[in-house]
Amino acid sequence: MKWTLRISGGPRRVNHAAVAVDQIIYSFGGYCTGENFKDFTPIDVHVFNTLTMKWRSFPVIRREDPRADEVPFRRYGHTVVEHFGKVYLWGGRNDEQACNILYCFDTRTHCWSCPRVHGQIPGARDGHSAAILGNRMFIFGGFEEESQTFSHDLYCLDLVTFTWTLVTTNGTPPRNRDFHTCTALGDCLYVFGGRGDVAGAIHTRREVYDNAMVVFNTVSNQWTYPQVQGDIPLGRRSHSAFEQNGYIYIFGGYNGIEKQHFNDLHQFDPVRKEWKKLNPSGQVPWGRRRQTCCVIGNWMYLYGGTRPLPGALPPSDEDDPDNPPSLLDLGDLCVLDFSPSLRVLAMLEVVRYQLEAKYLPLELK
C-alpha cells in the first residue's frame, strides 16, 4: 500500500460530497472560504477523470433558467450515492437553511431532476450519512434544522418506488450525532465517529467524540455493538470511510476536544472485529477534515477538505468550533494504491511527465 500521487491546483472544496461512477469522480457543492452561501445559487459540479488525471467543471445553471427549479442550491454537509449511473443528492444546507428535497443527477445526460417521493420524508438536516444497499438508500443521523437537535434516526428510501420509511429498529441505536460515517458491507451498515453532545439530542457545545463501531443489520433491523480489539482510532468527526476488499477504512478527521486534525489510516476487519493502524509508504497527505474519499479499482482518491495553516495556533475555546480561524481550504487530490506494482509505478511516472508538460502542479511521491 502506497501514497503514489498528489495533484494540486484542483477546485478548493470543503464539506462537499463526491461519488465515483466508472472512471469518473463527480464532486458536488461544498464551500470555499469567502464564497457567498446566503444566496440560493444552483450547485456547482466538478469532475475528475481518473484516466487523464484532469479536472473540469460543468457550467452552473443560472437561477433564471427554467431548469433551475430542478437543480439543488449550493450547499455543504449533504450526501450523494450512485445507483445505476444516477447520483442521488440529499440534505445539506447553505448559510440560510437546510434541505430535505431529493435530487437526481444523470451522469449520462448531465441533467438534474427531482423525483417525486412519498412516505415518511426525513426532516431537513446536514451532517448526516448516506449508504446504499441494493435498491435502498439509508440516511442516518445528522443535525436537524427544525428542532435544532442531533438525530439518531435511520431512514430508508426505496429507489424503485421512491418511498421513504422511518426504519423501526431493535437494540440501542448509536448516540445522536452528526458528521460521522456509515459504510455498507454485506447486509450491514457500519457507523463510526461523529460529533455528539453530553446532553444527547440537544446541542450545548459540550461535545462527545465516540469511537465505538456500531453495526446495523438490515435483515434483522438490529443495532449491535461488537467487542472490538486492536488499534482503535480516537473518536473524530468529518473523517472519511470507505470499503475495499471486505475491509472498512477510516482516514483523517478532527477531534474538537483534542483540537487535532488527523491524517492516520485505520483498517477495520468486520469478521475478526479488529482495528489495525496502517502506515502506507509514500508521502502521507496533510491532516485534514471534511474531505472526500472515492475508490476505483485498487486506487483510493482523496480530495479536498481543510487543514490548519502551517504554524497556526490550535483553535481556542472562544473560536467557532465548526469554522475556527487559521484554516486552509484544499484543492489537492491524493492517490492511495492498495497494491502498487512496478508497472503501475512506471505508468504514474508517465502521467507525472505528461501533466508537468502541461504546467499542472503535481508531485510524485
Side-chain angles (χ1 to χ4, degrees):
M1 189 178 293
K2 178 181 177 66
W3 292 102
T4 56
L5 201 64
R6 176 177 176 266
I7 302 173
S8 58
R12 291 188 295 161
R13 291 338 263 158
V14 179
N15 216 352
H16 48 298
V19 66
V21 182
D22 296 326
Q23 301 298 316
I24 305 296
I25 295 173
Y26 295 84
S27 176
F28 299 87
Y31 68 83
C32 183
T33 302
E35 294 178 338
N36 181 2
F37 276 87
K38 291 186 176 181
D39 294 338
F40 289 83
T41 306
I43 200 167
D44 51 320
V45 181
H46 301 283
V47 177
F48 183 77
N49 187 317
T50 63
L51 299 179
T52 64
M53 296 291 181
K54 292 181 180 179
W55 283 103
R56 70 185 180 98
S57 302
F58 291 144
V60 177
I61 294 177
R62 297 180 179 273
R63 281 183 291 180
E64 57 270 20
D65 191 303
R67 299 171 296 169
D69 290 341
E70 294 193 331
V71 179
F73 60 77
R74 292 182 68 184
R75 63 190 63 199
Y76 45 86
H78 50 294
T79 54
V80 293
V81 299
E82 184 267 341
H83 187 251
F84 291 108
K86 293 183 177 180
V87 178
Y88 292 93
L89 181 151
W90 192 84
R93 64 172 302 115
N94 63 8
D95 289 345
E96 296 295 317
Q97 70 179 51
C99 181
N100 69 340
I101 299 172
L102 179 71
Y103 295 93
C104 176
F105 180 81
D106 192 319
T107 60
R108 292 178 289 267
T109 65
H110 300 162
C111 291
W112 287 98
S113 62
C114 286
R116 181 174 296 181
V117 298
H118 314 275
Q120 300 166 293
I121 302 173
R125 68 193 65 198
D126 72 307
H128 56 284
S129 59
I132 192 163
L133 280 174
N135 293 322
R136 296 184 293 171
M137 178 179 76
F138 291 89
I139 296 291
F140 175 76
F143 191 76
E144 296 193 51
E145 171 87 350
E146 183 175 359
S147 62
Q148 289 291 290
T149 56
F150 295 104
S151 171
H152 65 177
D153 292 333
L154 180 67
Y155 285 87
C156 175
L157 175 66
D158 188 312
L159 293 174
V160 177
T161 64
F162 290 99
T163 301
W164 281 104
T165 304
L166 174 61
V167 181
T168 301
T169 66
N170 305 308
T172 303
R175 179 191 298 271
N176 303 58
R177 65 187 68 194
D178 66 357
F179 293 107
H180 52 282
T181 54
C182 180
T183 309
L185 183 59
D187 291 324
C188 294
L189 305 175
Y190 292 80
V191 174
F192 179 80
R195 173 184 60 175
D197 196 287
V198 296
I202 303 172
H203 190 196
T204 67
R205 294 195 182 278
R206 293 178 294 167
E207 298 181 350
V208 177
Y209 291 87
D210 198 334
N211 69 343
M213 179 67 84
V214 191
V215 182
F216 181 75
N217 187 304
T218 62
V219 176
S220 63
N221 283 1
Q222 180 81 33
W223 286 109
T224 59
Y225 292 72
Q227 293 287 92
V228 302
Q229 57 184 341
D231 307 317
I232 302 173
L234 289 175
R236 62 195 66 197
R237 65 178 172 100
S238 305
H239 54 287
S240 297
F242 52 93
E243 182 270 335
Q244 173 74 349
N245 294 330
Y247 296 100
I248 295 172
Y249 295 84
I250 300 292
F251 176 84
Y254 176 72
N255 184 302
I257 297 173
E258 301 293 333
K259 297 182 175 15
Q260 181 178 356
H261 286 78
F262 300 102
N263 67 343
D264 51 356
L265 180 69
H266 285 78
Q267 178 196 74
F268 180 73
D269 184 334
V271 176
R272 300 179 63 182
K273 310 293 189 296
E274 183 177 20
W275 283 103
K276 181 184 297 184
K277 185 176 181 181
L278 305 178
N279 295 290
S281 59
Q283 185 177 340
V284 180
W286 295 309
R288 66 187 71 197
R289 57 172 158 162
R290 297 177 173 175
Q291 69 282 339
T292 58
C293 290
C294 295
V295 175
I296 300 177
N298 284 323
W299 288 11
M300 186 276 286
Y301 298 83
L302 163 70
Y303 165 53
T306 188
R307 75 176 184 102
L309 284 167
L313 295 175
S316 69
D317 293 336
E318 289 73 32
D319 292 330
D320 180 349
D322 291 327
N323 295 289
S326 305
L327 289 177
L328 176 65
D329 299 340
L330 300 171
D332 60 341
L333 185 142
C334 304
V335 178
L336 177 67
D337 192 333
F338 286 94
S339 54
S341 65
L342 289 176
R343 180 174 179 270
V344 169
L345 294 176
M347 290 172 59
L348 288 174
E349 185 67 22
V350 173
V351 170
R352 181 194 62 80
Y353 174 80
Q354 290 175 338
L355 290 175
E356 286 185 343
K358 294 181 181 296
Y359 306 102
L360 288 178
L362 180 144
E363 299 171 14
L364 185 66
K365 301 171 183 175

